Amino acid sequence: MIDPKTLAERFPGDFVFGVATAAFQIEGATNLDGRKPSIWDAFSNMPGRVFGRHNGDVACDHYNRLEQDLDLIQSLGVEAYRFSIAWPRIIPEGTGPVNEKGLDFYDRLVDGLKARGIKAFATLYHWDLPLMLAGNGGWTARSTAYAFQRYAKTAIARLGDRLDAVATFNEPWCSVWLSHLYGIHAPGERNMDAALYALHVTNLAHGLGVAAIRSERPDLPVGLVLNAHQTYAGSDSAADQAAAARAFDFHNGIFFGPVFKGEYPESFLSALGHRMPQIEPGDMETISQPLDWWGLNYYTPMRVSHDPSEGAVFPATLPAPPVADVQTDIGWEVYAPALGDLIRKLNAAYALPDCYITENGACYNMGVENGMVDDQPRLDYIAEHLGVTADLIGEGYPMRGYFAWSLMDNFEWAEGYRMRFGIVHVDYDTQVRTIKKSGQWYGELAGQFPKGNHRTA
Ligand code: IFM
Protein backbone atom coordinates (compact mmCIF):
# COMPACT_ATOMS: atom_id res chain seq x y z
CA MET A 1 0.00 0.00 0.00
CA ILE A 2 1.33 3.45 -0.90
CA ASP A 3 2.13 5.38 2.27
CA PRO A 4 0.02 8.57 2.23
CA LYS A 5 2.77 10.60 3.87
CA THR A 6 5.28 9.55 1.24
CA LEU A 7 2.81 10.37 -1.52
CA ALA A 8 2.14 13.76 0.09
CA GLU A 9 5.81 14.63 -0.34
CA ARG A 10 5.26 14.68 -4.10
CA PHE A 11 2.80 17.60 -3.96
CA PRO A 12 3.39 21.28 -3.29
CA GLY A 13 2.10 22.54 0.04
CA ASP A 14 -0.65 24.64 -1.55
CA PHE A 15 -2.15 21.72 -3.51
CA VAL A 16 -5.83 21.42 -2.58
CA PHE A 17 -7.23 18.04 -1.50
CA GLY A 18 -11.00 17.84 -1.40
CA VAL A 19 -14.06 15.68 -1.79
CA ALA A 20 -16.95 16.16 -4.20
CA THR A 21 -20.69 15.53 -4.45
CA ALA A 22 -23.67 16.83 -6.44
CA ALA A 23 -27.04 18.07 -5.20
CA PHE A 24 -29.40 15.59 -6.81
CA GLN A 25 -27.19 12.65 -5.90
CA ILE A 26 -27.17 13.29 -2.16
CA GLU A 27 -29.72 15.84 -0.99
CA GLY A 28 -33.08 14.07 -1.12
CA ALA A 29 -35.87 16.31 0.30
CA THR A 30 -37.09 16.86 -3.23
CA ASN A 31 -40.41 18.35 -2.09
CA LEU A 32 -39.15 20.34 0.86
CA ASP A 33 -38.93 24.11 1.32
CA GLY A 34 -40.27 25.08 -2.07
CA ARG A 35 -38.14 22.90 -4.33
CA LYS A 36 -39.98 21.82 -7.48
CA PRO A 37 -39.20 18.86 -9.76
CA SER A 38 -36.20 18.68 -12.04
CA ILE A 39 -35.89 16.64 -15.22
CA TRP A 40 -34.20 13.97 -13.10
CA ASP A 41 -37.24 13.63 -10.82
CA ALA A 42 -39.41 13.04 -13.85
CA PHE A 43 -36.93 10.74 -15.57
CA SER A 44 -36.22 8.57 -12.53
CA ASN A 45 -39.92 8.14 -11.82
CA MET A 46 -40.52 6.70 -15.30
CA PRO A 47 -40.24 2.93 -15.57
CA GLY A 48 -37.24 1.64 -17.44
CA ARG A 49 -35.00 4.67 -17.11
CA VAL A 50 -33.10 4.15 -13.85
CA PHE A 51 -32.05 0.83 -12.34
CA GLY A 52 -34.74 -0.43 -9.95
CA ARG A 53 -36.70 2.74 -10.58
CA HIS A 54 -34.58 4.37 -7.89
CA ASN A 55 -35.06 8.10 -7.51
CA GLY A 56 -33.66 11.08 -5.63
CA ASP A 57 -36.52 11.48 -3.13
CA VAL A 58 -34.39 10.54 -0.13
CA ALA A 59 -30.91 9.84 -1.54
CA CYS A 60 -28.42 10.37 1.34
CA ASP A 61 -30.89 12.65 3.11
CA HIS A 62 -28.12 15.22 3.11
CA TYR A 63 -30.58 18.12 3.12
CA ASN A 64 -31.74 17.05 6.58
CA ARG A 65 -28.32 15.91 7.79
CA LEU A 66 -26.28 18.87 6.69
CA GLU A 67 -24.44 19.57 9.95
CA GLN A 68 -23.57 15.92 10.47
CA ASP A 69 -22.24 15.65 6.91
CA LEU A 70 -20.19 18.82 7.29
CA ASP A 71 -18.67 17.30 10.43
CA LEU A 72 -17.92 14.20 8.40
CA ILE A 73 -16.07 16.25 5.77
CA GLN A 74 -14.14 17.98 8.50
CA SER A 75 -13.27 14.66 10.13
CA LEU A 76 -11.68 13.55 6.86
CA GLY A 77 -9.23 16.42 7.16
CA VAL A 78 -9.75 17.69 3.60
CA GLU A 79 -9.25 21.32 2.73
CA ALA A 80 -12.10 21.77 0.24
CA TYR A 81 -15.59 20.57 -0.57
CA ARG A 82 -17.02 20.60 -4.09
CA PHE A 83 -20.82 20.56 -4.18
CA SER A 84 -23.50 21.65 -6.60
CA ILE A 85 -26.36 24.06 -6.13
CA ALA A 86 -29.79 22.80 -7.16
CA TRP A 87 -31.39 25.22 -9.60
CA PRO A 88 -34.87 23.84 -8.73
CA ARG A 89 -34.36 24.94 -5.13
CA ILE A 90 -33.32 28.48 -6.08
CA ILE A 91 -35.69 29.24 -8.97
CA PRO A 92 -38.05 26.26 -8.77
CA GLU A 93 -39.73 26.86 -12.11
CA GLY A 94 -36.54 27.77 -13.93
CA THR A 95 -37.76 31.29 -14.52
CA GLY A 96 -40.05 33.26 -12.23
CA PRO A 97 -39.99 33.53 -8.44
CA VAL A 98 -36.81 33.06 -6.43
CA ASN A 99 -37.18 30.68 -3.50
CA GLU A 100 -35.55 32.18 -0.42
CA LYS A 101 -35.68 28.90 1.49
CA GLY A 102 -33.59 27.25 -1.20
CA LEU A 103 -30.97 29.97 -0.92
CA ASP A 104 -31.09 29.61 2.87
CA PHE A 105 -30.02 25.99 2.61
CA TYR A 106 -26.90 26.88 0.64
CA ASP A 107 -26.25 29.77 3.02
CA ARG A 108 -26.15 27.23 5.83
CA LEU A 109 -23.95 24.94 3.77
CA VAL A 110 -21.42 27.62 2.88
CA ASP A 111 -21.42 29.11 6.38
CA GLY A 112 -20.95 25.63 7.80
CA LEU A 113 -17.92 25.08 5.58
CA LYS A 114 -16.42 28.43 6.52
CA ALA A 115 -16.97 27.75 10.21
CA ARG A 116 -15.00 24.53 9.78
CA GLY A 117 -12.22 26.14 7.76
CA ILE A 118 -13.15 24.27 4.56
CA LYS A 119 -13.00 25.88 1.11
CA ALA A 120 -16.25 25.98 -0.88
CA PHE A 121 -16.11 24.98 -4.57
CA ALA A 122 -19.62 25.34 -6.00
CA THR A 123 -21.01 24.07 -9.29
CA LEU A 124 -24.10 25.79 -10.64
CA TYR A 125 -25.38 23.04 -12.92
CA HIS A 126 -24.97 19.35 -12.22
CA TRP A 127 -27.85 18.14 -14.41
CA ASP A 128 -30.97 18.98 -12.36
CA LEU A 129 -32.72 21.29 -14.82
CA PRO A 130 -36.04 22.64 -13.45
CA LEU A 131 -38.69 20.48 -15.08
CA MET A 132 -40.79 23.47 -16.12
CA LEU A 133 -38.08 24.46 -18.57
CA ALA A 134 -38.56 21.17 -20.42
CA GLY A 135 -41.87 22.62 -21.58
CA ASN A 136 -39.95 25.05 -23.77
CA GLY A 137 -37.53 22.42 -25.05
CA GLY A 138 -35.12 22.30 -22.09
CA TRP A 139 -31.51 22.62 -23.20
CA THR A 140 -32.51 22.66 -26.87
CA ALA A 141 -34.17 26.07 -26.38
CA ARG A 142 -32.04 29.20 -26.49
CA SER A 143 -34.25 30.73 -23.79
CA THR A 144 -32.84 28.19 -21.32
CA ALA A 145 -29.41 29.80 -21.65
CA TYR A 146 -30.87 33.11 -20.52
CA ALA A 147 -32.76 31.41 -17.70
CA PHE A 148 -29.43 29.93 -16.59
CA GLN A 149 -27.81 33.36 -16.73
CA ARG A 150 -30.42 34.71 -14.30
CA TYR A 151 -30.09 31.71 -12.01
CA ALA A 152 -26.27 32.12 -11.97
CA LYS A 153 -26.60 35.80 -11.08
CA THR A 154 -29.13 35.05 -8.34
CA ALA A 155 -27.06 32.28 -6.76
CA ILE A 156 -23.81 34.24 -6.84
CA ALA A 157 -25.39 37.46 -5.56
CA ARG A 158 -26.37 35.56 -2.43
CA LEU A 159 -23.54 33.08 -1.96
CA GLY A 160 -20.58 34.40 -3.95
CA ASP A 161 -19.00 36.33 -1.08
CA ARG A 162 -18.17 33.05 0.69
CA LEU A 163 -17.24 30.85 -2.26
CA ASP A 164 -13.64 30.03 -3.10
CA ALA A 165 -14.39 28.98 -6.67
CA VAL A 166 -17.40 28.42 -8.88
CA ALA A 167 -17.98 26.31 -11.99
CA THR A 168 -20.80 27.00 -14.40
CA PHE A 169 -21.39 23.43 -15.60
CA ASN A 170 -20.41 19.94 -14.58
CA GLU A 171 -19.65 17.63 -17.49
CA PRO A 172 -21.72 19.20 -20.26
CA TRP A 173 -20.75 16.11 -22.30
CA CYS A 174 -23.29 14.24 -20.18
CA SER A 175 -26.06 16.82 -20.27
CA VAL A 176 -25.57 17.15 -24.05
CA TRP A 177 -24.54 13.83 -25.64
CA LEU A 178 -25.50 11.35 -22.93
CA SER A 179 -28.84 13.07 -22.38
CA HIS A 180 -29.88 14.06 -25.91
CA LEU A 181 -28.03 11.70 -28.24
CA TYR A 182 -27.47 8.46 -26.33
CA GLY A 183 -30.68 8.65 -24.26
CA ILE A 184 -29.05 7.36 -21.05
CA HIS A 185 -29.58 10.46 -18.92
CA ALA A 186 -32.54 12.81 -18.56
CA PRO A 187 -34.39 13.80 -20.67
CA GLY A 188 -33.56 10.55 -22.51
CA GLU A 189 -33.50 11.89 -26.07
CA ARG A 190 -31.82 9.95 -28.86
CA ASN A 191 -31.67 12.58 -31.53
CA MET A 192 -28.66 14.24 -33.14
CA ASP A 193 -30.54 17.42 -33.99
CA ALA A 194 -31.74 17.85 -30.41
CA ALA A 195 -28.22 17.13 -29.18
CA LEU A 196 -26.67 19.73 -31.49
CA TYR A 197 -29.09 22.35 -30.24
CA ALA A 198 -28.40 21.36 -26.63
CA LEU A 199 -24.69 21.65 -27.35
CA HIS A 200 -24.74 25.23 -28.55
CA VAL A 201 -27.31 26.38 -25.99
CA THR A 202 -25.22 24.84 -23.20
CA ASN A 203 -22.04 26.49 -24.44
CA LEU A 204 -23.88 29.79 -24.68
CA ALA A 205 -25.30 29.35 -21.17
CA HIS A 206 -21.79 28.73 -19.88
CA GLY A 207 -20.59 32.02 -21.39
CA LEU A 208 -23.61 33.97 -20.17
CA GLY A 209 -23.10 32.38 -16.76
CA VAL A 210 -19.46 33.46 -16.61
CA ALA A 211 -20.49 37.04 -17.34
CA ALA A 212 -23.28 36.92 -14.76
CA ILE A 213 -20.94 35.58 -12.08
CA ARG A 214 -18.33 38.24 -12.84
CA SER A 215 -20.94 41.00 -12.79
CA GLU A 216 -21.69 40.03 -9.19
CA ARG A 217 -18.23 38.98 -7.95
CA PRO A 218 -15.41 40.02 -10.26
CA ASP A 219 -12.78 38.35 -8.05
CA LEU A 220 -14.44 34.96 -7.67
CA PRO A 221 -12.44 32.37 -9.67
CA VAL A 222 -14.74 31.02 -12.39
CA GLY A 223 -14.28 27.76 -14.23
CA LEU A 224 -15.90 24.95 -16.15
CA VAL A 225 -15.76 21.24 -15.34
CA LEU A 226 -15.30 18.91 -18.30
CA ASN A 227 -15.12 15.13 -18.40
CA ALA A 228 -12.61 15.20 -21.23
CA HIS A 229 -11.95 11.86 -22.88
CA GLN A 230 -8.56 10.45 -23.67
CA THR A 231 -9.38 8.90 -27.05
CA TYR A 232 -7.11 6.03 -28.03
CA ALA A 233 -7.26 4.29 -31.40
CA GLY A 234 -8.11 0.60 -31.18
CA SER A 235 -5.22 -0.23 -33.55
CA ASP A 236 -2.35 1.37 -35.48
CA SER A 237 -4.33 1.39 -38.71
CA ALA A 238 -4.76 4.76 -40.40
CA ALA A 239 -8.54 4.33 -40.29
CA ASP A 240 -8.56 3.77 -36.53
CA GLN A 241 -6.12 6.62 -35.92
CA ALA A 242 -8.38 8.95 -37.90
CA ALA A 243 -11.37 7.65 -35.93
CA ALA A 244 -9.62 8.53 -32.66
CA ALA A 245 -8.94 12.05 -33.94
CA ARG A 246 -12.60 12.47 -34.91
CA ALA A 247 -13.65 11.15 -31.51
CA PHE A 248 -11.38 13.69 -29.83
CA ASP A 249 -13.11 16.50 -31.73
CA PHE A 250 -16.59 15.14 -31.12
CA HIS A 251 -16.19 14.41 -27.41
CA ASN A 252 -13.73 17.13 -26.38
CA GLY A 253 -13.29 19.67 -29.14
CA ILE A 254 -16.93 20.73 -29.17
CA PHE A 255 -16.44 22.17 -25.67
CA PHE A 256 -12.72 23.01 -25.52
CA GLY A 257 -12.81 24.60 -28.99
CA PRO A 258 -15.62 27.12 -28.33
CA VAL A 259 -14.52 27.86 -24.75
CA PHE A 260 -10.76 28.11 -25.20
CA LYS A 261 -10.45 29.07 -28.88
CA GLY A 262 -13.79 30.64 -29.76
CA GLU A 263 -14.55 28.08 -32.48
CA TYR A 264 -16.07 24.66 -33.03
CA PRO A 265 -13.68 22.07 -34.51
CA GLU A 266 -13.50 22.18 -38.29
CA SER A 267 -14.07 18.43 -38.72
CA PHE A 268 -17.22 18.62 -36.61
CA LEU A 269 -18.55 21.70 -38.39
CA SER A 270 -18.06 20.24 -41.84
CA ALA A 271 -19.89 17.04 -40.84
CA LEU A 272 -22.68 18.42 -38.66
CA GLY A 273 -22.55 22.21 -38.82
CA HIS A 274 -25.53 22.40 -41.15
CA ARG A 275 -27.68 20.78 -38.47
CA MET A 276 -26.59 23.15 -35.70
CA PRO A 277 -28.84 25.96 -34.50
CA GLN A 278 -28.12 29.49 -35.63
CA ILE A 279 -24.89 30.74 -34.08
CA GLU A 280 -25.81 34.37 -33.49
CA PRO A 281 -23.37 37.28 -33.71
CA GLY A 282 -21.44 37.55 -30.45
CA ASP A 283 -22.17 33.98 -29.31
CA MET A 284 -18.63 32.70 -29.76
CA GLU A 285 -17.17 35.74 -27.97
CA THR A 286 -19.58 35.17 -25.09
CA ILE A 287 -18.63 31.50 -24.90
CA SER A 288 -14.88 32.07 -25.06
CA GLN A 289 -14.44 34.56 -22.22
CA PRO A 290 -11.20 33.70 -20.41
CA LEU A 291 -11.59 31.38 -17.42
CA ASP A 292 -9.65 31.39 -14.17
CA TRP A 293 -9.49 27.61 -13.99
CA TRP A 294 -10.93 24.46 -15.46
CA GLY A 295 -11.82 21.16 -13.88
CA LEU A 296 -11.14 17.71 -15.24
CA ASN A 297 -13.31 14.78 -14.23
CA TYR A 298 -11.39 11.67 -15.22
CA TYR A 299 -12.26 8.02 -14.69
CA THR A 300 -11.38 5.87 -17.72
CA PRO A 301 -10.06 6.16 -21.28
CA MET A 302 -12.17 5.96 -24.43
CA ARG A 303 -10.98 3.45 -27.05
CA VAL A 304 -12.43 3.61 -30.54
CA SER A 305 -12.12 2.11 -33.98
CA HIS A 306 -13.42 3.26 -37.34
CA ASP A 307 -17.06 2.49 -38.10
CA PRO A 308 -17.06 1.37 -41.73
CA SER A 309 -20.83 1.09 -42.07
CA GLU A 310 -22.43 3.06 -44.86
CA GLY A 311 -24.05 6.25 -43.62
CA ALA A 312 -22.27 6.14 -40.23
CA VAL A 313 -22.76 9.54 -38.67
CA PHE A 314 -19.81 11.65 -37.44
CA PRO A 315 -17.69 10.75 -35.55
CA ALA A 316 -18.34 7.32 -37.12
CA THR A 317 -16.63 5.27 -34.42
CA LEU A 318 -17.20 1.95 -32.71
CA PRO A 319 -16.04 1.04 -29.21
CA ALA A 320 -12.69 -0.76 -29.16
CA PRO A 321 -11.79 -3.23 -26.40
CA PRO A 322 -9.99 -2.20 -23.22
CA VAL A 323 -6.27 -2.76 -22.93
CA ALA A 324 -5.97 -3.07 -19.16
CA ASP A 325 -7.52 -6.18 -17.65
CA VAL A 326 -8.66 -4.33 -14.52
CA GLN A 327 -12.16 -2.92 -14.48
CA THR A 328 -14.17 -1.36 -11.69
CA ASP A 329 -17.56 -2.73 -10.64
CA ILE A 330 -19.30 -0.46 -13.14
CA GLY A 331 -17.19 -1.98 -15.91
CA TRP A 332 -14.83 0.95 -16.55
CA GLU A 333 -11.26 0.15 -17.55
CA VAL A 334 -8.65 1.22 -15.00
CA TYR A 335 -5.80 2.83 -16.89
CA ALA A 336 -4.10 5.69 -15.03
CA PRO A 337 -1.60 6.64 -17.79
CA ALA A 338 -4.55 7.98 -19.77
CA LEU A 339 -4.90 10.79 -17.23
CA GLY A 340 -1.38 11.94 -18.01
CA ASP A 341 -1.78 11.50 -21.76
CA LEU A 342 -5.00 13.50 -21.65
CA ILE A 343 -3.58 16.46 -19.73
CA ARG A 344 -0.57 16.59 -22.04
CA LYS A 345 -2.71 16.41 -25.15
CA LEU A 346 -5.22 19.03 -24.02
CA ASN A 347 -2.52 21.46 -22.97
CA ALA A 348 -0.80 21.01 -26.33
CA ALA A 349 -4.05 21.73 -28.18
CA TYR A 350 -5.42 24.63 -26.10
CA ALA A 351 -4.12 27.46 -23.92
CA LEU A 352 -5.55 26.22 -20.64
CA PRO A 353 -5.62 27.93 -17.24
CA ASP A 354 -4.98 26.25 -13.88
CA CYS A 355 -6.46 22.80 -13.59
CA TYR A 356 -8.16 21.02 -10.72
CA ILE A 357 -9.01 17.37 -10.96
CA THR A 358 -12.57 17.98 -9.84
CA GLU A 359 -13.53 14.30 -9.88
CA ASN A 360 -11.62 11.06 -9.85
CA GLY A 361 -12.50 7.82 -8.14
CA ALA A 362 -13.78 4.32 -8.64
CA CYS A 363 -16.94 2.29 -8.32
CA TYR A 364 -16.55 -0.66 -5.96
CA ASN A 365 -19.59 -2.03 -4.20
CA MET A 366 -18.19 -3.84 -1.17
CA GLY A 367 -20.23 -3.35 1.99
CA VAL A 368 -19.64 -3.03 5.70
CA GLU A 369 -18.16 -6.04 7.49
CA ASN A 370 -17.43 -5.90 11.20
CA GLY A 371 -17.92 -2.16 11.12
CA MET A 372 -15.39 -1.64 8.31
CA VAL A 373 -15.33 -1.38 4.54
CA ASP A 374 -12.19 -2.83 2.99
CA ASP A 375 -12.13 -1.12 -0.42
CA GLN A 376 -8.46 -1.60 -1.19
CA PRO A 377 -9.03 -1.44 -4.99
CA ARG A 378 -10.49 2.08 -4.66
CA LEU A 379 -7.57 3.12 -2.48
CA ASP A 380 -5.16 1.74 -5.11
CA TYR A 381 -7.05 3.51 -7.90
CA ILE A 382 -6.88 6.88 -6.15
CA ALA A 383 -3.24 6.43 -5.21
CA GLU A 384 -2.29 5.49 -8.75
CA HIS A 385 -4.08 8.48 -10.28
CA LEU A 386 -2.56 10.81 -7.72
CA GLY A 387 0.83 9.41 -8.69
CA VAL A 388 0.14 10.44 -12.30
CA THR A 389 -1.01 13.86 -11.09
CA ALA A 390 2.26 14.30 -9.20
CA ASP A 391 4.16 13.34 -12.37
CA LEU A 392 2.26 16.05 -14.26
CA ILE A 393 3.17 18.64 -11.63
CA GLY A 394 6.78 17.56 -12.01
CA GLU A 395 6.50 18.17 -15.75
CA GLY A 396 5.28 21.69 -15.09
CA TYR A 397 1.53 21.37 -15.71
CA PRO A 398 -0.55 23.69 -13.52
CA MET A 399 -2.39 21.02 -11.51
CA ARG A 400 -3.76 22.80 -8.44
CA GLY A 401 -5.96 20.30 -6.65
CA TYR A 402 -7.72 16.95 -6.54
CA PHE A 403 -11.26 16.10 -5.41
CA ALA A 404 -12.14 12.50 -4.69
CA TRP A 405 -15.43 11.40 -6.19
CA SER A 406 -17.24 10.96 -4.03
CA LEU A 407 -17.49 12.02 -0.42
CA MET A 408 -20.09 9.31 0.01
CA ASP A 409 -22.03 6.65 -1.89
CA ASN A 410 -24.95 8.26 -3.67
CA PHE A 411 -27.51 8.18 -6.48
CA GLU A 412 -25.43 7.09 -9.47
CA TRP A 413 -27.87 8.40 -12.12
CA ALA A 414 -29.14 5.67 -14.44
CA GLU A 415 -27.49 3.06 -12.20
CA GLY A 416 -29.47 4.18 -9.15
CA TYR A 417 -27.98 3.27 -5.77
CA ARG A 418 -26.47 -0.03 -6.82
CA MET A 419 -23.16 1.55 -7.92
CA ARG A 420 -21.05 3.02 -5.14
CA PHE A 421 -18.29 5.61 -5.62
CA GLY A 422 -18.02 6.92 -2.05
CA ILE A 423 -14.95 6.96 0.17
CA VAL A 424 -17.65 6.86 2.85
CA HIS A 425 -20.22 4.06 2.82
CA VAL A 426 -23.91 4.93 3.13
CA ASP A 427 -26.41 2.42 4.46
CA TYR A 428 -29.54 3.61 2.66
CA ASP A 429 -31.87 1.95 5.20
CA THR A 430 -30.41 3.65 8.24
CA GLN A 431 -28.44 6.53 6.65
CA VAL A 432 -25.45 5.46 8.74
CA ARG A 433 -22.17 6.66 7.23
CA THR A 434 -19.02 4.53 7.61
CA ILE A 435 -15.65 5.86 6.49
CA LYS A 436 -14.12 3.25 4.18
CA LYS A 437 -10.48 2.17 4.19
CA SER A 438 -9.92 4.47 1.18
CA GLY A 439 -11.46 7.36 3.12
CA GLN A 440 -9.15 6.80 6.09
CA TRP A 441 -6.17 6.66 3.76
CA TYR A 442 -7.27 9.76 1.82
CA GLY A 443 -7.80 11.63 5.08
CA GLU A 444 -4.25 10.82 6.16
CA LEU A 445 -2.96 12.15 2.87
CA ALA A 446 -5.13 15.28 2.88
CA GLY A 447 -4.25 15.90 6.52
CA GLN A 448 -0.69 16.71 5.39
CA PHE A 449 -2.00 19.87 3.66
CA PRO A 450 -1.84 22.80 3.53
CA LYS A 451 1.58 22.90 5.10
CA GLY A 452 3.74 24.74 2.63
CA ASN A 453 6.58 22.45 3.60
CA HIS A 454 6.43 19.98 0.73
CA ARG A 455 8.90 20.24 -2.06
CA THR A 456 7.43 20.34 -5.57
CA ALA A 457 7.90 16.98 -7.26
O1 IFM B 1 -21.61 10.26 -10.33
C1 IFM B 1 -21.03 10.85 -11.44
C2 IFM B 1 -21.01 12.36 -11.28
O2 IFM B 1 -22.27 12.89 -11.08
C3 IFM B 1 -20.41 13.00 -12.51
N1 IFM B 1 -19.16 12.40 -12.86
C4 IFM B 1 -19.09 10.97 -12.93
C5 IFM B 1 -19.62 10.37 -11.64
C6 IFM B 1 -19.53 8.83 -11.72
O3 IFM B 1 -20.28 8.36 -12.79
Side-chain angles (χ1 to χ4, degrees):
M1 187 160 94
I2 297 174
D3 171 38
K5 293 197 172 126
T6 310
L7 183 58
E9 289 296 321
R10 299 195 61 206
F11 291 87
D14 60 355
F15 191 84
V16 174
F17 281 93
V19 288
T21 64
F24 191 78
Q25 293 180 271
I26 64 165
E27 285 179 0
T30 48
N31 292 317
L32 217 60
D33 291 343
R35 182 191 182 276
K36 289 198 174 167
S38 73
I39 54 172
W40 267 97
D41 295 274
F43 190 74
S44 55
N45 286 322
M46 278 176 206
R49 299 299 208 169
V50 171
F51 172 80
R53 217 162 152 182
H54 296 169
N55 61 34
D57 289 1
V58 178
C60 305
D61 198 29
H62 170 71
Y63 192 88
N64 294 311
R65 294 165 195 264
L66 178 62
E67 292 298 322
Q68 173 196 328
D69 285 342
L70 293 176
D71 288 345
L72 175 66
I73 297 169
Q74 188 178 32
S75 78
L76 286 171
V78 295
E79 200 195 336
Y81 177 49
R82 173 175 179 251
F83 60 97
S84 79
I85 297 170
W87 185 351
R89 289 198 194 282
I90 308 298
I91 304 179
E93 294 173 1
T95 58
V98 172
N99 179 34
E100 288 299 319
K101 285 190 171 170
L103 284 165
D104 291 346
F105 172 71
Y106 295 104
D107 255 344
R108 293 198 296 277
L109 168 48
V110 173
D111 285 346
L113 289 173
K114 298 287 106 172
R116 291 166 177 83
I118 298 166
K119 290 191 166 121
F121 279 58
T123 300
L124 291 174
Y125 188 74
H126 199 126
W127 311 345
D128 41 1
L129 184 73
L131 183 59
M132 285 288 277
L133 292 178
N136 299 332
W139 282 115
T140 69
R142 198 174 162 96
S143 53
T144 297
Y146 294 99
F148 177 78
Q149 178 185 33
R150 174 169 173 253
Y151 155 59
K153 198 168 164 55
T154 307
I156 297 305
R158 178 71 171 265
L159 304 164
D161 58 334
R162 286 151 292 151
L163 298 180
D164 294 277
V166 63
T168 53
F169 281 74
N170 177 76
E171 301 185 7
W173 182 92
C174 292
S175 51
V176 171
W177 292 153
L178 202 59
S179 302
H180 294 85
L181 182 61
Y182 305 134
I184 311 286
H185 278 189
E189 283 295 332
R190 289 175 201 266
N191 184 303
M192 180 59 94
D193 295 298
L196 293 169
Y197 273 66
L199 169 64
H200 187 64
V201 170
T202 298
N203 280 334
L204 178 63
H206 158 75
L208 293 170
V210 170
I213 292 162
R214 290 208 170 120
S215 73
E216 288 298 329
R217 309 282 331 169
D219 295 332
L220 176 60
V222 187
L224 169 65
V225 171
L226 296 163
N227 57 327
H229 294 75
Q230 172 58 25
T231 59
Y232 290 116
S235 80
D236 288 340
S237 76
D240 285 353
Q241 298 290 329
R246 291 195 303 273
F248 184 88
D249 285 348
F250 186 76
H251 298 289
N252 302 323
I254 43 94
F255 299 113
F256 282 87
V259 172
F260 295 110
K261 273 189 173 166
E263 61 194 28
Y264 285 98
E266 191 44 51
S267 64
F268 167 79
L269 276 185
S270 52
L272 293 168
H274 62 289
R275 293 167 70 178
M276 299 256 313
Q278 180 75 33
I279 297 176
E280 295 193 2
D283 280 5
M284 300 313 289
E285 289 74 18
T286 299
I287 295 168
S288 60
Q289 291 164 83
L291 295 180
D292 300 301
W293 62 276
W294 75 285
L296 172 65
N297 292 356
Y298 172 81
Y299 291 90
T300 188
M302 173 181 273
R303 300 187 188 275
V304 297
S305 54
H306 172 61
D307 179 357
S309 53
E310 204 177 314
V313 175
F314 188 87
T317 57
L318 295 169
V323 164
D325 51 13
V326 186
Q327 293 181 4
T328 63
D329 285 351
I330 204 169
W332 297 354
E333 177 185 1
V334 177
Y335 188 70
L339 170 59
D341 291 344
L342 180 57
I343 288 288
R344 290 182 200 100
K345 187 163 180 176
L346 289 168
N347 278 278
Y350 308 99
L352 298 176
D354 284 355
C355 177
Y356 290 84
I357 296 184
T358 33
E359 284 182 27
N360 179 242
C363 174
Y364 288 105
N365 296 326
M366 50 285 274
V368 182
E369 276 179 42
N370 303 320
M372 290 165 49
V373 182
D374 184 350
D375 61 340
Q376 185 68 39
R378 177 178 289 108
L379 189 165
D380 293 339
Y381 178 102
I382 293 176
E384 211 186 336
H385 287 75
L386 278 170
V388 172
T389 308
D391 292 343
L392 289 165
I393 294 170
E395 290 168 37
Y397 291 100
M399 312 303 292
R400 301 294 180 228
Y402 176 99
F403 290 78
W405 183 269
S406 178
L407 164 65
M408 57 184 152
D409 296 335
N410 56 51
F411 176 79
E412 179 50 27
W413 307 109
E415 299 292 346
Y417 296 97
R418 72 170 162 169
M419 294 296 168
R420 294 175 180 266
F421 280 82
I423 60 172
V424 174
H425 180 274
V426 176
D427 179 326
Y428 294 112
D429 293 328
T430 61
Q431 292 295 345
V432 167
R433 280 87 161 119
T434 306
I435 300 177
K436 301 179 189 179
K437 187 176 181 183
S438 63
Q440 305 283 4
W441 178 90
Y442 189 67
E444 270 189 65
L445 172 70
Q448 304 299 307
F449 296 83
K451 292 262 170 68
N453 59 355
H454 298 289
R455 64 184 167 80
T456 41

